Amino acid sequence: MKMILAIIRDSDNEAVTQSLVEASYRVTRIASTGGFLRRGYSTLLIGVEDEKVDAAIELIRDNTTSADEPGMKRATMFVLNVARYSQV
């Protein structure tokens, strides 16, 4: 199992989250700020099976809008190994 941490602009949050949920991914959103101008961002926590990582990343890529300014990224993503997963 993997955990995808995706940092996206707030303006892309609804489209990205909706597409992931429709594809049966479970998403937790954390409001965050960052960058030089302290713009609004959302950090998405997405737990996925190993074989679904690429599909989830593609959904994120397809549902983020082009960067407004040179050097600005559409999303920053980290894929982490999950040693253990449980729900209580």
Side-chain angles (χ1 to χ4, degrees):
M1 177 162 252
K2 306 287 187 195
M3 171 71 67
I4 300 173
L5 299 176
I7 303 164
I8 60 173
R9 290 175 290 176
D10 277 341
S11 59
D12 291 330
N13 176 52
E14 187 62 34
V16 171
T17 302
Q18 188 66 28
S19 68
L20 289 166
V21 169
E22 286 175 2
S24 299
Y25 292 97
R26 300 184 102 185
V27 180
T28 299
R29 178 184 159 254
I30 302 170
S32 54
T33 57
F36 177 68
L37 298 174
R38 299 286 181 227
R39 296 186 178 164
Y41 289 92
S42 295
T43 300
L44 305 179
L45 308 175
I46 310 150
V48 300
E49 299 298 327
D50 291 359
E51 64 274 2
K52 295 183 179 181
V53 170
D54 291 335
I57 289 173
E58 192 64 31
L59 280 172
I60 295 166
R61 184 175 286 125
D62 290 346
N63 288 281
T64 52
T65 56
S66 298
D68 298 333
E69 300 171 16
M72 189 176 200
K73 307 298 181 210
R74 297 185 318 175
T76 300
M77 294 176 273
F78 301 89
V79 179
L80 309 170
N81 290 322
V82 175
R84 183 176 172 182
Y85 166 77
S86 63
Q87 292 181 314
V88 291

